[in-house]
Amino acid sequence: MADADIGLIGLGTMGSALALNIAENGFKVAVWNRTTARTRAFADEAGDLAPRVVPTDGLDALVAALKPPRAIILMVPAGDPVDAQIEALDPYLDPDDLIIDAGNANFRDTMRRMEVMERPFLGVGVSGGEDGARHGPAIMGGGNKAHWDRVEPILTAIAAKFEEAPCAALMGENGAGHFVKAVHNGIEYADMQLIAETYGLMRDGLGMGAVDIGGRFTDWNEGRLSSYLIEISGIVASTTDAATNGPLLDVIVDAAGQKGTGRWTAIEAQHLGTPIPVIEAAVAARNMSAQRSLRADLADRFGSEKREIDLSPETLEAALTCGKVLCYTQGFDMLRAAAEAFEWSLEPEAIARNWRAGCIIRSAMLDDMAEAFEKAPGTTLMAAPYFADLLADTIDALRAVVVAASAAGLPVPAMAAALSYFDTMRLARGTANMIQGQRDYFGLHGFERMDNGKTDQHGPWAED
């Protein structure tokens, strides 16, 4: 019987959680996985939600179980698997049936698919990990509004809520949803790196143990740093390892994994000509963390001794706050640049509100960011009055931390990048005039004069 409200393909961790979320919110969901055993096991484990889960053994059966016009969510790995799944599914669909790619797709793939496909298609970013997918993620849609409207009741029902407002919205046209998700992940990388550096300073510079560090993060979560990532950092640092009866954090290998979305953000920022040095530093830090054997060899060669630092926890908190504001500034500036480049109707205040619950970077600051963008449209976040004042109050702390860490041989790549970014952006006259002179000297690239505004100017250059 064709009575399912929506279909879902791919019952991995995220797909399974999302399907249960849909069922729990009163919608009937037909599911299919390439392994029939997984489909059956999922249905058997659905418990009280089983009556609203329809397991199917093939794509034809999945399509037959859905109310027309149909809507099917793809939760399969990004890239070629999405194209292969669309190709396999297409023969069973009617022209007005809707396909929704809700995986971590590269937005350029989403744009390409929308250009070549002759059927409705949405690219939807979903953030929140397994718990978010199961109980309420942040959902970022991209595509035609009429197509979004068809499934909006389901997507808003399953999304996280912030003061009853669903964190699900159409971000803009074609690939906008997946682009916003990528920038979200870039900010996530940077926020996590800033926290990790702060942890390192407390561990190696202040000699604090993991449990005490966890307590400090927990305290900070009660203030202006209140956020999901600070909250879980406190939990992670405070957790005891059953095998050693010591801090679990102390036995975790120091090599960070990644799935590529932060790297995509860094690559696209270069295409857009938008500076995001804190995010780039976070991506590079993960890459460096993976080179454990090389780091061990270089530690033997150059030594890895560290010196104590004289910084208060309050200074570290202020520095972390400052870095966070600058990191978000870069992310939102990148979104503004993309809106112009791709002619998307991205609204920074709506994006900030969409991130207030469900997603990994949810934080108390996002409400203030949304208000700042409303009061000062088109303004970079660090120039908006509230955040300009916050930066003025915390930049000295960030400077003190970077200086102390550098002197003590403690790496803080993201914090240092944030400080250099701030100092560069507040300098009315920088040093690129030297670069323009060099470029003209060796390549006759020309330059613009400050005194009369004339462009395409050249030397002569003195050689003695």
Side-chain angles (χ1 to χ4, degrees), residues 184-326:
H184 164 285
N185 283 24
I187 294 172
E188 176 187 312
Y189 274 47
D191 207 346
M192 293 172 71
Q193 178 63 28
L194 289 165
I195 292 170
E197 290 173 15
T198 306
Y199 154 73
L201 291 173
M202 287 191 280
R203 183 191 68 185
D204 299 328
L206 299 181
M208 294 173 62
V211 174
D212 289 337
I213 293 172
R216 186 62 62 180
F217 282 128
T218 299
D219 290 343
W220 291 348
N221 194 48
E222 299 300 318
R224 60 189 175 189
L225 279 172
S226 176
S227 64
Y228 174 72
L229 285 171
I230 291 290
E231 177 187 0
I232 67 169
S233 297
I235 295 170
V236 167
S238 303
T239 299
T240 299
D241 174 38
T244 63
N245 205 34
L248 179 58
L249 191 57
D250 289 354
V251 299
I252 297 176
V253 172
D254 62 324
Q258 56 181 312
K259 293 186 176 179
T261 47
R263 188 184 304 121
W264 293 344
T265 310
I267 292 169
E268 292 304 328
Q270 297 302 318
H271 288 306
L272 291 167
T274 305
I276 57 165
V278 183
I279 296 172
E280 290 169 344
V283 174
R286 291 202 186 190
N287 292 336
M288 287 186 281
S289 78
Q291 299 185 37
R292 294 183 65 232
S293 60
L294 175 59
R295 288 191 286 120
D297 290 343
L298 293 176
D300 289 339
R301 174 64 180 82
F302 296 107
S304 59
E305 66 276 2
K306 313 173 201 63
R307 294 192 293 272
E308 291 183 3
I309 56 176
D310 183 17
L311 293 171
S312 69
E314 291 73 23
T315 299
L316 288 175
E317 179 186 15
L320 183 54
T321 301
C322 190
K324 184 183 183 80
V325 172
L326 293 169

Side-chain angles (χ1 to χ4, degrees), residues 9 14 68 89 113 179 188 195-196 205 302 329 337 339 389 401 429 462:
I9 294 175
M14 289 290 287
L89 181 62
R113 290 170 185 133
F179 186 90
E188 176 187 312
I195 292 170
F302 296 107
T329 294
D389 290 343
V401 167
R429 179 160 173 77

Side-chain angles (χ1 to χ4, degrees), residues 107-108 111 173-174 179 268-274 333-346:
F107 84 102
R108 291 189 179 274
M111 294 173 72
E173 302 76 8
N174 49 64
F179 186 90
E268 292 304 328
Q270 297 302 318
H271 288 306
L272 291 167
T274 305
D333 284 351
M334 183 175 175
L335 289 169
R336 185 180 295 109
E340 181 177 347
F342 299 110
E343 299 182 343
W344 291 336
S345 53
L346 299 180

